[in-house]
Amino acid sequence: MTMPWSLQAAVLANAPIASGIYRLRLAVPADLATKAKAGQFVMIRTGDRHDPLLRRPFSIHDADRTSWSILYRLAGQGTAWLSRQSPGQNLAVIGPLGRGFPLDTPSPPLLVGGGIGVAPLPMLARRFSERHGAPPEVIIGFRTADEVVAEEAFLRLGCNLTVVTEDGSRGAQGLVTDVLPTAPSEPPFLMLCGPWPMMRAVARIARERGWQGVASLETTMACGIGACLGCAVPANDPHRTYLHVCQHGPVLELQAVQWENR
Ligand SMILES: Cc1cc2nc3c(=O)[nH]c(=O)nc-3n(C[C@H](O)[C@H](O)[C@H](O)COP(=O)(O)OP(=O)(O)OC[C@H]3O[C@@H](n4cnc5c(N)ncnc54)[C@H](O)[C@@H]3O)c2cc1C
Ligand code: FES
């Protein structure tokens, strides 16, 4: 695994791309940029001084030879500050962090993303296509059409893409669980990223149908490097142990997580 760097990254672009959602592109040294794996994340300082004190975690949305991009949703003070940063300003960044998505899967992958959780999935789809010569199937869900992101990236890759919105304003009306395949020729290997209730619902279906998979978990994080233990989630084992999302994850096997206990 690549050792994380602590760097001052210049903002190359930072602009809204959907309702309340921004895309930020950061300059990253060439010997680091392409080492990021799909599903890894960065911790970014989101304040001028010590307010907010803690860095904020964001998935790496895309990586080219000299830059990383992230997609972020305006949530609170830190992301509001981030949205005010202009090209040329420097941001304090640590990354790449954590364990990303596997690129070799035991059966055909099915990527399932919800809301801003789709952020790491286009890079995963691209890396998967480069490795296996065929794009994965993708399902993405949003509340409404204004919040849809990353659709073109999946279409450019030639993914078989299903978009759903809760209000039916784009794609089929419903939730991602409504459009999971009911009788696939081979059980899909699920690769999830989205809000906990969405991933819990998909994990339940996977358990019932005997499907395997992984999920990228979101928790509040203070350090991002395994020092504070603030990102613990209950593990699915009889000893009531915990997994630390920043170190063991954020991408974890579906069956490793106690989905019902949160
Ligand atoms: C590994 C990882 C990857 C992430 N990737 C992305 C990403 O690609 N894009 C993105 O927009 N966000 C991502 N997040 C979530 C992001 O870190 C939070 O939205 C951000 O920290 C909010 O900071 P803030 O200061 O603006 O909000 P705060 O003022 O800290 O919080 C505002 C509100 O947002 C809620 N909130 C804070 N953190 C989270 C969280 N982790 N999950 C859900 N709700 C939260 C708070 O409970 C509060 O209600 C990721 C989180 C993790 C752990
Ligand atoms: S965020 Fe500190 S241990 Fe995970």
Side-chain angles (χ1 to χ4, degrees):
M1 189 181 287
T2 306
M3 288 299 289
W5 287 32
S6 176
L7 62 144
Q8 291 291 322
V11 174
L12 299 173
N14 187 25
I17 56 161
S19 177
I21 297 172
Y22 285 65
R23 181 183 167 119
L24 167 69
R25 196 164 151 246
L26 296 168
V28 177
D31 45 349
L32 177 66
T34 53
K35 295 205 170 109
K37 296 192 168 61
Q40 287 192 295
F41 65 99
V42 289
M43 296 291 288
I44 303 183
R45 184 178 293 288
T46 55
D48 295 311
R49 298 187 180 177
H50 295 300
D51 186 23
L53 177 64
L54 303 172
R55 292 172 192 246
R56 299 294 193 240
F58 300 97
S59 302
I60 297 172
H61 166 63
D62 201 6
D64 62 22
R65 283 188 308 113
T66 54
S67 73
W68 287 341
S69 299
I70 66 164
L71 296 188
Y72 64 95
R73 185 178 63 85
L74 294 178
Q77 197 183 347
T79 44
W81 181 90
L82 206 54
S83 70
R84 297 192 294 272
Q85 306 313 298
S86 308
Q89 287 178 284
N90 282 335
L91 297 180
V93 175
I94 299 177
L97 293 162
R99 181 170 165 257
F101 286 101
L103 288 180
D104 293 309
T105 57
S107 59
L110 172 58
L111 279 49
V112 184
I116 195 63
V118 304
L121 298 184
M123 180 166 153
L124 172 60
R126 181 163 55 79
R127 294 272 171 95
F128 188 89
S129 301
E130 286 164 1
R131 190 174 182 99
H132 298 285
E137 186 172 347
V138 180
I139 297 173
I140 50 176
F142 303 88
R143 282 185 303 196
T144 186
D146 287 354
E147 297 176 2
V148 174
V149 288
E151 191 179 7
E152 307 77 39
F154 293 118
L155 292 174
R156 264 199 309 275
L157 288 167
C159 297
N160 178 3
L161 175 70
T162 305
V163 181
V164 292
T165 49
E166 288 178 29
D167 63 2
S169 52
R170 175 81 62 85
Q173 180 169 14
L175 304 172
V176 294
T177 42
D178 298 328
V179 291
L180 289 173
T182 45
S185 52
E186 248 189 288
F189 185 85
L190 296 168
M191 298 171 112
L192 314 180
C193 191
W196 187 276
M198 179 211 97
M199 296 202 292
R200 181 178 54 204
V202 178
R204 274 182 199 150
I205 292 172
R207 200 171 51 235
E208 285 162 17
R209 299 183 187 172
W211 297 350
Q212 294 179 52
V214 291
S216 180
L217 267 53
E218 258 199 29
T219 54
T220 43
M221 283 188 183
C223 71
I225 53 168
C228 72
L229 310 186
C231 60
V233 293
N236 184 26
D237 71 24
H239 308 295
R240 298 183 175 209
T241 56
Y242 285 84
L243 295 161
H244 296 109
V245 172
C246 70
Q247 268 203 310
H248 300 116
V251 177
L252 291 161
E253 278 75 29
L254 287 183
Q255 65 272 20
V257 178
Q258 178 55 260
W259 289 101
E260 308 300 332
N261 196 0
R262 191 161 181 253

